[in-house]
Amino acid sequence: MKTDYAQALKALSDELIAIQKPILILDAIKWPQAIEQDFFAKGATALPTIPPDYYDGFPLSFDPKQIRSQLANLKTKITTQLGGQDPLGAILQETIEQYELVVELVSQRGKPGFQRASQQLYGSARDHLRGDKMTLIEMGQRLCHIFSLPAAKHLAAAYPKNIPADEAVRQLQRRLLPYFADSAFTVKETDGIVSDASAGGDCIKVNTHAAFSSLDLQVLEVHEGWVHVGTTLNGRNQPWASWLSVGSPRITAPQEGLAVLIETLTFSSFPARARRISDRVVAIDLAENGADFMEVYRYFIDQGLPPKDCYKIAQRVFRGGDIRGGSCFTKDLSYVKGFVETVNFIRSAILSDRPEVLPLMFVGKVALDDVPVLYHYQQEGLIAAPKYLPPMFKDLNGLYVWFGFSSGMSVLDVARVQDHFQALFRKIG
């Protein structure tokens, strides 16, 4: 390892971290709890109280012009100090370009330009899955059907949401503190988030207004804990590539896809959770095609979802956009898109006889295309191996067998197999 190169990489990475620190997308577009309360108090029959100039009352926490200038200067420094063809420099450059788009995104809150920037960062529901003819909306609709079958509702009935936020905090701490030994990891209550819970840095935040089932806590343990917090802490442990501790939108799909995959590998997920993820793809497609907030809300009411769930789906899609239609937030495509691409990445690594690269998915906030590059530099001592790693990625034997069988069965004619067994199931009274 060349010390001069490593020190330059560290200095440039630290500068990027400092520049991006005030750029908080979700904070810039969040709606207060009072908006939801007012919506239902008025009978859920009219658009939420979010006028076109709503975001003008909530100035950004940074000067867009200044941030753009700092990012441009940093790009020049990277080329000068690391060279125009340096692989790690290329990742840094691509990350900076993402932050430039993020500045444009939040500068366009409430306007049509918000959706255009969102689609550049996160994609569109009509995009094709990488390497396939199927679009995200086609996959989302297929998953919605599977997770809406009568059996799915029956399975979830035994798990009521009877765990309050304070007890959820205690249980998550008890589960995760041993996993994150020798770290500053915490769990705390907050009323400052839209979702029921989220990971931020070395902390899981639990919405004080939410209630949870035991299944919800299983998901939070592995999704928010093992993946989101784990990759943040692993990134912070990097001696030189410190930018791996923070994530631009280029890593959102791999992060969410990996988190959903871990849910499935640990049998932590459940049909209602999986449907919620696929419903978001459908909601984004509706909004991208001109639907307003109420049209999206009523669509899911007609699908039989509870009103509060319908509100949350629509809220996630229209935050930052225009509730009257014409501008929406497409970030929630990342779950389905990321899951499919992550599964295909793991299959490809196994079939290409390179499973040893897979733990590098947890080395920090990474895009899938970064992993082979980071593995190369790990061999040279520049990238530290991930400290916090789920058990199936510590010992790859089981993962190899699971995805080996999965790859083998993917060539079967599934429709013919289903026809055979469905004939048997029809005989059940």
Side-chain angles (χ1 to χ4, degrees), residues 77-259:
K77 284 185 183 180
I78 291 170
T79 301
T80 301
Q81 297 182 29
L82 301 184
Q85 303 300 316
D86 182 74
L88 294 180
I91 295 174
L92 282 171
Q93 295 279 23
E94 189 174 338
T95 302
I96 291 171
E97 290 167 3
Q98 289 273 293
Y99 283 122
E100 290 173 330
L101 269 174
V102 168
V103 173
E104 176 66 13
L105 175 82
V106 296
S107 297
Q108 292 290 322
R109 293 175 300 172
K111 301 178 178 67
F114 180 85
Q115 177 169 303
R116 289 193 294 270
S118 180
Q119 289 169 331
Q120 287 180 275
L121 289 166
Y122 303 107
S124 164
R126 297 300 169 112
D127 288 346
H128 290 272
L129 292 162
R130 186 153 53 164
D132 198 272
K133 295 180 180 180
M134 181 176 284
T135 62
L136 276 165
I137 182 57
E138 289 170 338
M139 175 62 79
Q141 289 169 335
R142 182 172 182 175
L143 292 173
C144 284
H145 169 71
I146 293 170
F147 296 125
S148 301
L149 294 172
K153 295 180 181 179
H154 174 73
L155 290 170
Y159 297 92
K161 290 181 177 289
N162 58 3
I163 302 173
D166 57 345
E167 177 59 23
V169 168
R170 285 190 288 272
Q171 291 193 29
L172 286 172
Q173 284 178 325
R174 185 167 63 250
R175 294 180 187 207
L176 284 167
L177 284 175
Y179 185 90
F180 292 118
D182 305 320
S183 79
F185 171 76
T186 58
V187 186
K188 65 180 182 182
E189 276 189 69
T190 179
D191 61 0
I193 58 175
V194 172
S195 56
D196 289 345
S198 69
D202 53 13
C203 175
I204 293 179
K205 299 174 184 177
V206 174
N207 192 325
T208 192
H209 304 288
F212 302 86
S213 69
S214 58
L215 288 178
D216 291 329
L217 297 187
Q218 289 178 201
V219 169
L220 292 176
E221 177 184 5
V222 300
H223 184 116
E224 306 294 347
W226 289 11
V227 177
H228 294 328
V229 174
T231 51
T232 296
L233 295 180
N234 287 334
R236 289 179 181 177
N237 287 335
Q238 292 300 319
W240 310 110
S242 57
W243 91 86
L244 290 173
S245 63
V246 297
S248 70
R250 70 188 292 273
I251 63 88
T252 303
Q255 273 281 300
E256 299 300 355
L258 188 58

